[in-house]
Amino acid sequence: MLLGWMRWFDALIPAYTIERLFWESRTITLQEVVYLEMIYAVLVVMLEVPTGVLADRLERRRLLQIGTALEWGSFVVLLVSFSFGGFALAIALSGIGAALRSGAENALLYETLEQDGKTETFERSVGRLNVIGIVAAVLAAISGSLLATRFPFELNYVLSIVSLFIATCCSCGLVEPKRVMSDERLTWADIEAGFRFVWQLRQLLIMTSMFVVTFAAFNFIDEFWQVYARDVEVPIYWFGMISTVLLLIQVPGQLLAPILLQIATADRWLNGIGWGIGIGFVLLGLFPGQAGLVWMAGMAFLVGMVEPLYLGVLHHRVPSVIRATTESSVSMLLHGSIILIGLVFIVGAGMTLFIAFLFIGVVVCMHQLVVIFIGWRGDA
């Protein structure tokens, strides 16, 4: 399946292993990293839903092709940039590309399965695609860390550009499932349709909230584990192994979503995972040290379950006509949460990275308490 090859080369990015160190070598500070992340998130928030509507009205494969090409372009810009402005341009291209792809890939996958009468395998298919990406990322992490100890960081970016170019080429072979097409113009009713669908289903709204906050919080582990490892005096040659563990430990949750649902409902799993992520951040903040990398591994194990569990609930319920729009609406909420949590992170990072993680943990735990209270009121 071409989606699998796309996911493979899209994740085969050795640059990610030394991303923060490369950015620092180009004079990008920790606070500027967060500002760039916020630029990315703001662009995604602005464009997510309109591009989701486009994906539902036009060919979803076209948006995937353009989005992948823009991601390739962003790495080209990063390679030649030596200032905040250049990095901001690269992040903007990446954000626009992410918005174009968001919702379109899973909608294309679900309707391909629907066309073949295999929608019951959606969670398993999502998990397998994610595992393909994880395995590719592991190979990229190992090779990237080894290359970084012998060659300039720029080589990792050159190889990443090649991989993304191949992913773009793979996207050109995607086939659109048969469905009713529409050339009507976008309306505000279309843009809010996804939000309205989630809002009207109370249980889905609660699960969406847990998914959004949990995933948004873990984003800061993905982004700053390298800085954490450096601050607790882990040698750079261990970075590839750390990245490998943080990725591979997510595999069981990605593959076992159908089995997990036989043990307990998705909302119970998401609630428990949310508490695990919140407490993990608190431990990272209160007890900084190399043992904190173990907490990170535990958090990565938990977060591996989140996406297939939630997307299964969402796509089995949402109508086809607003499938990409609804997922884009959720993604917009996710990136909005990244912005808000990023503001909390900036306040903490003004003291230390460890305090920033502690603040995030407190926010996630408070959210879980609010979710419990809302659920209790609804059942009363």
Side-chain angles (χ1 to χ4, degrees):
M1 180 183 286
L2 278 175
L3 279 177
W5 285 111
M6 275 185 61
R7 185 66 68 90
W8 175 269
F9 287 107
D10 192 50
L12 195 65
I13 311 297
Y16 286 152
T17 306
I18 45 86
E19 183 177 33
R20 290 295 159 259
L21 304 182
F22 174 78
W23 287 29
E24 282 187 353
S25 73
R26 297 292 178 96
T27 72
I28 303 299
T29 67
L30 191 63
Q31 284 76 17
E32 286 176 331
V33 170
V34 178
Y35 295 144
L36 289 169
E37 287 293 325
M38 292 176 69
I39 290 173
Y40 177 93
V42 167
L43 278 170
V44 172
V45 166
M46 291 172 58
L47 298 175
E48 275 280 16
V49 181
T51 56
V53 175
L54 281 174
D56 281 327
R57 292 189 173 279
L58 306 176
E59 288 190 340
R60 287 158 182 168
R61 63 180 181 135
R62 297 301 181 199
L63 273 72
L64 286 173
Q65 291 162 358
I66 297 171
T68 307
L70 287 175
E71 183 68 17
W72 167 77
S74 74
F75 271 76
V76 174
V77 174
L78 281 174
L79 182 61
V80 300
S81 295
F82 290 85
S83 67
F84 181 82
F87 275 71
L89 174 59
I91 290 301
L93 290 175
S94 180
I96 296 169
L100 288 169
R101 292 190 292 175
S102 176
E105 182 180 7
N106 285 322
L108 186 68
L109 172 62
Y110 190 91
E111 288 173 2
T112 299
L113 293 173
E114 187 175 45
Q115 185 173 266
D116 297 335
K118 298 179 180 178
T119 55
E120 72 281 357
T121 66
F122 177 72
E123 290 91 344
R124 184 178 294 108
S125 298
V126 169
R128 287 176 177 174
L129 279 178
N130 288 340
V131 169
I132 289 172
I134 288 171
V135 173
V138 165
L139 292 178
I142 294 173
S143 60
S145 61
L146 293 175
L147 289 170
T149 60
R150 299 186 179 185
F151 301 98
F153 291 157
E154 285 77 6
L155 178 60
N156 283 15
Y157 275 78
V158 171
L159 296 175
S160 300
I161 288 169
V162 172
S163 184
L164 285 169
F165 178 76
I166 297 174
T168 304
C169 293
C170 289
S171 71
C172 295
L174 292 174
V175 177
E176 189 80 8
K178 293 181 180 180
R179 61 192 179 94
V180 178
M181 306 296 290
S182 173
D183 58 359
E184 297 177 17
R185 293 185 177 182
L186 304 183
T187 67
W188 286 110
D190 293 322
I191 290 176
E192 68 180 23
F195 296 113
R196 192 166 56 247
F197 177 79
V198 172
W199 182 264
Q200 289 174 349
L201 300 177
R202 176 178 161 276
Q203 194 63 23
L204 179 59
L205 178 62
I206 291 174
M207 285 190 284
T208 299
S209 177
M210 290 188 287
F211 167 76
V212 162
V213 172
T214 301
F215 231 65
F218 190 79
N219 173 76
F220 290 85
I221 296 293
D222 274 341
E223 295 295 334
F224 294 104
W225 71 260
Q226 296 168 25
V227 180
Y228 182 95
R230 184 201 61 193
D231 288 350
V232 297
E233 301 179 347
V234 174
I236 189 172
Y237 55 79
W238 282 107
F239 279 28
M241 182 60 68
I242 295 169
S243 180
T244 297
V245 171
L246 291 177
L247 290 167
L248 285 182
I249 204 166
Q250 297 180 42
V251 169
Q254 296 284 355
L255 294 177
L256 297 176
I259 298 175
L260 295 174
L261 291 174
Q262 295 175 11
I263 300 172
T265 57
D267 60 322
R268 290 184 180 275
W269 283 112
L270 291 173
N271 186 42
I273 293 168
W275 279 110
I277 297 299
I279 293 170
F281 270 109
V282 170
L283 292 173
L284 288 173
L286 292 179
F287 307 104
Q290 294 183 3
L293 297 170
V294 177
W295 302 127
M296 287 187 184
M299 294 162 71
F301 171 75
L302 291 175
V303 88
M305 308 175 192
V306 171
E307 189 174 18
L309 286 172
Y310 174 75
L311 290 179
V313 171
L314 179 67
H315 280 274
H316 287 313
R317 300 185 184 186
V318 67
S320 177
V321 70
I322 58 168
R323 188 177 305 283
T325 303
T326 304
E327 188 174 332
S328 291
S329 299
V330 172
S331 185
M332 177 179 174
L333 294 173
L334 171 61
H335 287 89
S337 295
I338 290 175
I339 293 174
L340 295 177
I341 295 176
L343 294 174
V344 174
F345 183 90
I346 289 174
V347 173
M351 293 173 272
T352 67
L353 175 66
F354 310 124
I355 296 298
F357 280 168
L358 175 61
F359 284 2
I360 291 178
V362 171
V363 168
V364 175
C365 288
M366 289 178 62
H367 170 265
Q368 291 301 110
L369 289 173
V370 171
V371 166
I372 289 175
F373 178 72
I374 293 174
W376 173 77
R377 286 195 62 183
D379 294 335

